Amino acid sequence: MAGRLRRSLPQAVVAETDEWVEVAPDAIVDVVRWLHDDPDLDAAQLSNLCATDRYDHFEVVYHLQSLDQNHQIVVKARVGEHERASLPSVYPVYKGALLQEREVYDLMGVRFEGHPDLRRMFLWEGYPGFPLRKDFLQITGHHPGLPHFPFEEAGRQER
Amino acid sequence: MTTASEPYVLNIGPQHPSTHGVFRLRVVMDGERIQDIDMVVGYLHRSMEKLAEERTYTQNIPFTDRTDYLAAMSNNLGYCLAAERLAGIEVPDRASYLRVIFAELQRLASHSMANGTFINDAGAWQTPLMYMFREREKILDLFEMTCGARLTTNYMRIGGVAFDPPAEFFPAVNALIDELPDRIAEYTELLVDNEILLARSRGVGVVSAEDAINGSLVGPVLRASGVPWDLRKAEAYCAYGDFDFEIPVGHVGDCYDRFMVRLEEMRQSVRIIRQALDGLPSGPHKTEIPLALRPAPGEAYARVEGPRGELGFYVVSDGGPAPFRFHIRAPSLINLSLLREMAVGTSLPDAIVTLGSLDIVVGEIDR
């Protein structure tokens, strides 16, 4: 699969193993559209979309499913900048990306350019930070959950 | 003379009988017609994916019960398959068969609930729901007998299942699956040709096969649109390859087809359970695994056909005792992707029936 992809979109493929193929983030829409339209690969459905925080970059993973050929294609894209992580949205190819990309944005803070409705989903607008990032609990002065932990301040016990 | 009208916003929920949990719909209405629909979720968000990064692989199993609390067995199973794939653990045959039996019992319980609440939304207030709860109750008793819990079962383990079912389980489950075909026939007689159900659900919330595939719809919702896609056939995980069963599909892709697909799947589940009980191998019900499992660095994506469709678990290991990343592909959430396409332009009662037919579980949407 990676070989054919390399022939058709020479700039796109960055790395490959037996299980997945990593593509350039700018080329992700072209890649999934090509996989979607190719009759042999037939990636008809975006079955899963999620992101992993690898400390210095994010890895966005697309599990694509062919229903006719019964195989799964795993495409990854590495998003470099931690503070302004962004990637083109695959919504034009797969309508099923609507909520999955919103979820990744909400919890991981990866922006999807061209997404029609990119808002926080589980958390509210203005929520500090993105919980699934590895540095979330290190945000200074920010305690998720309770505003203060019990007996956090010295002298509280005597009262 | 024309009367000027302007759109108004209607809030359904977060607490409303038709939302099946703490789920809010913000509907922009133009008179009787829906102009726009937007869902507001997150009331049940517990950030399980983050919590799981702090706990060992085995400690994470109870979390999966609490995502989709109407299908705890399927969730347990999906997660254990992912952890086993990641760590390269083989499961004994008896455990695979027991997993199939419990996953199918769970599907029966969940589909009873789904069809009961759907009919509730369509206007048959409570009576059919209570009929279906009668059978669900017996299935939950079987769960309680085996693992001590009715909803949050925590029954599957990495490498097998927690307990062998007790001796009294087998007569009880045999009696139940002998009884169930008659019960399902009773529902069919009671509901399938019911004029109110036909009027309320036929031609409502129609999704074409192309849209359903492109919109990542899964499970009975996808199959109702005429796509014969079932992971039990496509991946044949556990022991599903050994059993003879069929995939029911719909023709139109409306709410009525979704109801019918679920009803037929209940019949197929009974068939699978009967075959699994007849062929249940002897032997151990689990393999021993280290308490602090440390899979080699890597990743695994395992999925099962849960009652709501493809339920996937994406687990990444960095070699430590806890998952580096734990992601749940939640069918309840992703089946809502096309809510706007289904509901805009229809009336409010039709949107309620459509939402009911998607069979969402809010614990799984929010996680």
Side-chain angles (χ1 to χ4, degrees):
Chain A
M1 190 278 280
R4 288 192 53 197
L5 188 59
R6 215 184 268 281
R7 276 197 296 281
S8 301
L9 299 164
Q11 305 300 317
V13 180
V14 175
E16 60 188 277
T17 67
D18 291 344
E19 280 142 30
W20 46 263
V21 53
E22 188 188 320
V23 301
D26 298 338
I28 186 72
V29 178
D30 291 339
V31 169
V32 295
R33 182 170 283 129
W34 185 81
L35 291 169
H36 179 270
D37 294 342
D38 187 275
D40 291 332
L41 295 170
D42 176 49
Q45 192 173 49
L46 174 67
S47 135
N48 180 37
L49 193 168
C50 64
T52 309
D53 185 356
R54 300 274 187 184
Y55 296 113
D56 59 338
H57 67 274
F58 295 106
E59 190 179 86
V60 181
V61 187
Y62 301 79
H63 288 88
L64 309 176
Q65 180 67 45
S66 162
L67 304 186
D68 292 339
Q69 315 278 343
N70 190 12
H71 61 227
Q72 196 176 45
I73 300 167
V74 185
V75 178
K76 291 184 175 185
R78 171 191 278 246
V79 187
E81 283 182 55
H82 220 259
E83 288 314 307
R84 286 204 314 265
S86 93
L87 194 69
S89 168
V90 298
Y91 180 75
V93 186
Y94 295 112
K95 287 218 164 57
L98 183 75
L99 298 177
Q100 307 193 58
E101 287 184 347
R102 253 183 91 183
E103 183 189 337
V104 173
Y105 167 65
D106 185 17
L107 301 179
M108 196 64 97
V110 179
R111 293 196 66 86
F112 290 91
E113 304 304 329
H115 187 284
D117 190 23
L118 197 67
R119 287 173 292 140
R120 302 298 289 246
M121 186 153 65
F122 302 130
L123 305 169
W124 53 95
E125 294 296 336
Y127 186 84
F130 301 101
L132 286 180
R133 287 189 176 186
K134 292 286 176 191
D135 61 1
F136 176 64
L137 293 175
Q138 276 85 54
I139 299 176
T140 327
H142 175 47
H143 302 286
L146 295 169
H148 296 284
F149 292 114
F151 309 118
E152 190 182 5
E153 289 161 35
R156 250 297 189 37
Q157 292 92 323
E158 278 103 52
R159 271 201 296 168
Chain B
M1 196 185 95
T2 54
T3 316
S5 75
E6 56 183 56
Y8 61 98
V9 174
L10 192 68
N11 276 297
I12 307 173
Q15 301 280 3
H16 189 273
S18 73
T19 58
H20 310 299
V22 199
F23 175 88
R24 179 175 153 213
L25 283 173
R26 194 176 173 279
V27 194
V28 181
M29 303 286 295
D30 179 19
E32 283 287 301
R33 208 179 59 83
I34 294 175
Q35 222 173 44
D36 192 20
I37 191 164
D38 185 24
M39 58 171 207
V40 183
V41 295
Y43 298 97
L44 274 174
H45 181 59
R46 293 149 288 177
S47 203
M48 287 191 179
E49 297 182 2
K50 185 75 174 176
L51 290 170
E53 292 174 8
E54 305 278 314
R55 282 155 180 80
T56 66
Y57 286 89
T58 307
Q59 283 174 336
N60 280 330
I61 299 171
F63 278 141
T64 61
D65 300 334
R66 286 154 177 81
T67 56
D68 180 353
Y69 35 74
L70 295 180
M73 289 288 185
S74 310
N75 281 263
N76 288 172
L77 177 58
Y79 171 64
C80 290
L81 286 177
E84 283 155 10
R85 190 169 293 176
L86 192 62
I89 295 169
E90 291 289 320
V91 178
D93 285 347
R94 187 179 174 83
S96 289
Y97 270 64
L98 286 171
R99 284 174 168 191
V100 168
I101 292 169
F102 281 96
E104 291 305 318
L105 284 171
Q106 184 73 79
R107 187 184 318 277
L108 285 166
S110 178
H111 279 357
S112 306
M113 181 88 178
N115 277 345
T117 51
F118 166 68
I119 293 162
N120 226 354
D121 290 340
W125 188 244
Q126 297 294 357
T127 307
L129 180 68
M130 286 300 137
Y131 271 74
M132 300 205 177
F133 262 49
R134 181 183 56 189
E135 272 68 59
R136 180 172 177 266
E137 214 38 48
K138 291 179 182 164
I139 294 170
L140 297 187
D141 285 346
L142 291 173
F143 289 174
E144 191 176 13
M145 204 183 275
T146 309
C147 62
R150 295 159 63 80
L151 289 177
T152 51
T153 53
N154 189 18
Y155 177 57
M156 311 283 174
R157 288 287 182 276
I158 300 167
V161 295
F163 317 101
D164 224 16
E168 65 265 30
F169 172 83
F170 293 100
V173 73
N174 277 316
L176 179 67
I177 61 166
D178 287 343
E179 182 195 340
L180 268 173
D182 295 342
R183 295 299 180 206
I184 298 169
E186 196 178 287
Y187 305 150
T188 313
E189 204 175 324
L190 190 68
L191 296 166
V192 167
D193 294 328
N194 183 305
E195 207 168 305
I196 296 171
L197 182 70
L198 290 172
R200 292 286 282 112
S201 66
R202 273 176 118 175
V204 173
V206 179
V207 182
S208 71
E210 291 76 35
D211 288 349
I213 293 171
N214 195 260
S216 293
L217 302 192
V218 288
V221 185
L222 177 65
R223 289 191 283 275
S225 296
V227 185
W229 176 252
D230 191 318
L231 289 168
R232 291 176 292 172
K233 288 277 191 200
E235 286 210 330
Y237 56 92
C238 290
Y240 278 110
D242 300 354
F243 307 126
D244 185 28
F245 63 99
E246 280 149 34
I247 308 174
V249 291
H251 300 289
V252 187
D254 56 4
C255 296
Y256 185 70
D257 276 0
R258 288 174 207 139
F259 168 76
M260 289 302 283
V261 163
R262 290 199 182 95
L263 206 56
E264 186 54 37
E265 275 183 16
M266 290 172 73
R267 286 202 187 91
Q268 300 298 328
S269 290
V270 173
R271 275 178 76 186
I272 297 172
I273 296 169
R274 188 167 282 140
Q275 292 171 55
L277 284 170
D278 289 345
L280 185 66
S282 54
H285 63 276
K286 65 175 172 184
T287 46
E288 290 305 319
I289 59 149
L291 199 56
L293 189 67
R294 288 171 184 269
E299 59 182 57
Y301 180 65
R303 60 245 177 102
V304 295
E305 186 71 35
R308 273 154 273 284
E310 176 181 338
L311 175 63
F313 287 83
Y314 178 69
V315 186
V316 181
S317 166
D318 63 346
F324 183 73
R325 175 83 170 94
F326 175 80
H327 174 73
I328 306 168
R329 184 229 189 264
S332 291
L333 172 71
I334 299 169
N335 277 355
L336 287 166
S337 294
L338 296 184
L339 182 65
R340 207 168 250 144
E341 280 85 344
M342 284 185 224
V344 168
T346 64
S347 65
L348 193 61
D350 284 355
I352 295 290
V353 172
T354 305
L355 184 71
S357 75
L358 293 178
D359 184 23
I360 56 167
V361 171
V362 182
E364 187 179 61
I365 293 177
D366 292 352
R367 279 163 285 147

